[in-house]
Amino acid sequence: MARSRSFDVRQQTGFTFVAICCFVLLYLPIILLVVYSFNAGTSIAIWEGFSWQWYEAAWNNEKVQEATILSLIIASSASLVATSVAVMAALATTRTGKFKGSGLVFAMINQPLMIPEIVTAVALLLMFAMIKVSTGYTGIWYLIIAHSAFCIPFAYMPIRARLQGMDLNLEQAAADLYGQPWQVFRRVTLPQLWPGILSGAMLSFVVSLDDVVITEFVKSAGQDTLPTYMLGQLRRAITPEVNAISTALLAISIAMVVAFYLLSKRKEK
């Protein structure tokens, strides 16, 4: 009896063609966006020569500057809060024994990932609207709190994965040598956990930086972040300035990924 061949999706007819199509559809629009951000004309579809003018226009645009500063403040604050909460949640769910309701706790932590973002946005809108009416406060803390809550699972997943992959023997040995819980965490757990913390912080930062749906529902007048500013521009006159801003955001994201990769490689050494 002939031995049956193992299934290999790469050997299936048409797999290479489908894979190429997926890569083209995924990356070609991004490449075109970057190319047309250097367009000398005002059209986003007709090439009229190479120019840096739209980068200069975006750099000198006061509204872009204000939106960028606000986005960085919100993303940095949300990343810090979300990562801090995620570290505590990951420790509580990986460094304790199985307890009743642990599955429910895990589901609640990851709840923003399991429901449509629009549902979270509407719920936050209703809650913050009542608070605004009661207090009269309309500052950016609503955006920071909303982004922090939404980013917690994005920070939690890599931190939890890092904790689960760590050797418990080192922590147990430190505890056997009369190390206090805080000392064990600071001197043994934290140095090994840093790659996961950095990964979670960077992921939550990027998620907060490019969020549109929750920001649109929660923000007050005059609180445009960079993505909501770009969305507003697309509703009016579209110019390559939007392409330039998008390219800058893409460059920042790539730089963060490269920096994290290099830092992780140094940690491994």
Side-chain angles (χ1 to χ4, degrees), residues 2 29 53 132 160 163 179 208 238:
Q53 65 170 322
K132 289 178 182 179
R160 177 187 170 92
L163 281 171
S208 173
I238 303 177

Side-chain angles (χ1 to χ4, degrees), residues 87-99 159-160 162-169 171 185 189 192-193:
V87 168
M88 292 185 285
L91 288 170
T93 54
T94 59
R95 290 299 183 265
T96 57
K98 191 75 173 180
F99 58 91
I159 294 173
R160 177 187 170 92
R162 180 68 180 177
L163 281 171
Q164 289 179 323
M166 287 166 52
D167 187 0
L168 284 176
N169 290 329
E171 297 176 26
F185 173 76
T189 307
Q192 300 180 80
L193 187 57

Side-chain angles (χ1 to χ4, degrees), residues 179-238:
Q180 297 298 317
W182 171 248
Q183 291 177 315
V184 174
F185 173 76
R186 184 167 62 89
R187 295 182 180 275
V188 180
T189 307
L190 188 59
Q192 300 180 80
L193 187 57
W194 264 116
I197 293 176
L198 290 175
S199 177
M202 294 172 68
L203 182 58
S204 57
F205 180 87
V206 172
V207 169
S208 173
L209 188 66
D210 67 4
D211 182 80
V212 175
V213 178
I214 290 177
T215 305
E216 274 290 324
F217 276 76
V218 175
K219 72 182 182 73
S220 300
Q223 292 180 351
D224 271 328
T225 60
L226 199 54
T228 58
Y229 169 80
M230 293 169 62
L231 180 63
Q233 290 299 107
L234 292 174
R235 291 170 177 169
R236 304 182 186 96
I238 303 177

Side-chain angles (χ1 to χ4, degrees), residues 202 206 248-263:
M202 294 172 68
V206 172
L249 286 174
L250 176 64
I252 292 173
S253 301
I254 293 175
M256 292 182 68
V257 172
V258 172
F260 173 71
Y261 173 77
L262 295 176
L263 184 62

